[in-house]
């Protein structure tokens, strides 16, 4: 199963990717998570990415594409993957298509998560993440059992640098201008399935699973 999740910041891509990847037995490949791990590890890649991420801009395609190519070449991704946050513009989508075609494969489904912008601002301003396992919470909608601590290993939760309201608004603009055109691109490829990403996390997961199953049975 080779799948992509597309949607604005805060649509719940990371939340759903974690659940769906486990259910589909494929690795979750999140470009945002890989960049953040490199930023906190102080690597060359992290140094290149940080200024773009802090502003809410896209990291340049040549940096991002090379990173994804390396990740998808790892053993655990040869039979499938769930991409979260990549591709992010039409040139990245074309690069991905070329990468997969060189390996004799292609995508099975692109799942679009739809949610309105005011909901996004509410979700992102209350988001907290675990630095150890990457699990994402919300202070109100999906709170940890013990305030400020991860349910898995008790690590102190943190708030992302790019979750300030001004940066969230800029990320939404970048989404509208650069990422939203992917919806038409993948519709034309016959790969697109769209669901509403509102309601509880479990409701969105149920919709996502049904949409993926429908797309696969139609293929
Ligand atoms: P990235 O980490 O990919 O950020 P994003 O796309 O902006 O998405 P988010 O992680 O903010 O949101 P999400 O949709 O995953 O929502 P989540 O599940 O966390 O990218 C960060 C940066 O890295 C980019 O700005 C860019 O600089 C760079 N980058 C990454 N990929 C790149 C690429 N391909 N090219 C170039 N640059 C790239 O949920 C959000 C909150 O809502 C959480 O608190 C969650 O608990 C809550 N929530 C989730 N579902 C629900 C629900 N159903 N109801 C209520 N609350 C919910």
């Amino acid at each position: 199963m080779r799948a992509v999740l597309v949607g604005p910041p805060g649509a719940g891509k990371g939340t759903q990717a974690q659940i769906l990847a486990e259910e589909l037995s494929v690795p979750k490949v999140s470009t945002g998570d890989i960049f953040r791990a490199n930023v906190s590890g102080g690597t060359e890649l992290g140094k290149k990415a940080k200024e773009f991420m802090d502003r809410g801009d896209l990291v340049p395609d040549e940096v991002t594409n090379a990173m994804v190519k390396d990740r998808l070449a790892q053993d655990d991704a040869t039979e499938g993957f769930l991409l979260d946050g990549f591709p992010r513009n039409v040139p990245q989508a074309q690069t991905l298509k070329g990468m997969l075609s060189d390996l004799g494969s292609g995508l099975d489904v692109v799942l679009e998560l739809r949610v309105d912008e005011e909901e996004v601002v509410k979700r992102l301003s209350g988001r907290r993440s675990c630095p150890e396992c990457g699990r994402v919470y919300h202070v109100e909608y999906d709170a940890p059992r013990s305030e400020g601590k991860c349910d898995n290993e008790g690590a102190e939760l943190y708030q992302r640098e790019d979750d300030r309201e001004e940066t969230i608004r800029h990320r939404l603009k970048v989404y509208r201008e650069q990422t939203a055109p992917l919806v038409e691109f993948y519709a034309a490829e016959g790969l697109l399935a769209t669901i509403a990403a509102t309601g509880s996390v479990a409701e969105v997961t149920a919709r996502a699973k049904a949409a993926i199953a429908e797309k696969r049975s139609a293929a």
Side-chain angles (χ1 to χ4, degrees), residues 168-186:
I168 296 169
R169 301 261 175 215
H170 181 70
R171 285 160 63 203
L172 283 166
K173 179 168 178 281
V174 169
Y175 180 79
R176 281 195 299 274
E177 292 174 357
Q178 300 188 47
T179 310
L182 284 179
V183 169
E184 253 182 58
F185 176 90
Y186 281 124

Side-chain angles (χ1 to χ4, degrees), residues 20 51 62 78 102 144 147 156 189 201:
L20 293 171
E51 61 172 302
E62 62 273 19
T78 53
D102 289 346
E147 197 185 326
E156 200 74 35
E189 301 256 309
V201 170

Side-chain angles (χ1 to χ4, degrees), residues 21-68:
E22 226 173 283
E23 300 235 356
L24 298 165
S25 303
V26 291
K28 165 182 108 133
V29 176
S30 159
T31 42
D33 287 351
I34 303 174
F35 281 135
R36 278 184 290 280
N38 277 277
V39 170
S40 53
T43 68
E44 277 311 306
L45 177 64
K47 284 177 198 153
K48 280 185 202 159
K50 188 174 184 325
E51 61 172 302
F52 297 96
M53 295 176 77
D54 285 350
R55 284 201 305 264
D57 283 325
L58 297 187
V59 178
D61 287 352
E62 62 273 19
V63 176
T64 309
N65 289 339
M67 179 179 89
V68 171

Side-chain angles (χ1 to χ4, degrees), residues 7-16 30-33 35-36 49 52-54 56-61 64 68 84-89 92 113 119 123-124 126-128 136-139 141-142 160 162-163 171 197-202 204:
K13 301 181 299 294
T15 303
Q16 294 300 329
S30 159
T31 42
D33 287 351
F35 281 135
R36 278 184 290 280
F52 297 96
M53 295 176 77
D54 285 350
D57 283 325
L58 297 187
V59 178
D61 287 352
T64 309
V68 171
D84 157 25
F86 183 92
R88 213 51 168 234
N89 56 28
Q92 289 184 5
L113 303 185
E119 175 68 13
R123 286 186 184 184
L124 293 184
R127 170 165 57 188
R128 299 292 181 272
V136 173
Y137 298 87
H138 189 280
V139 289
Y141 307 139
D142 187 13
R160 269 171 49 175
D162 58 351
D163 279 349
R171 285 160 63 203
T198 47
S200 69
V201 170
V204 179

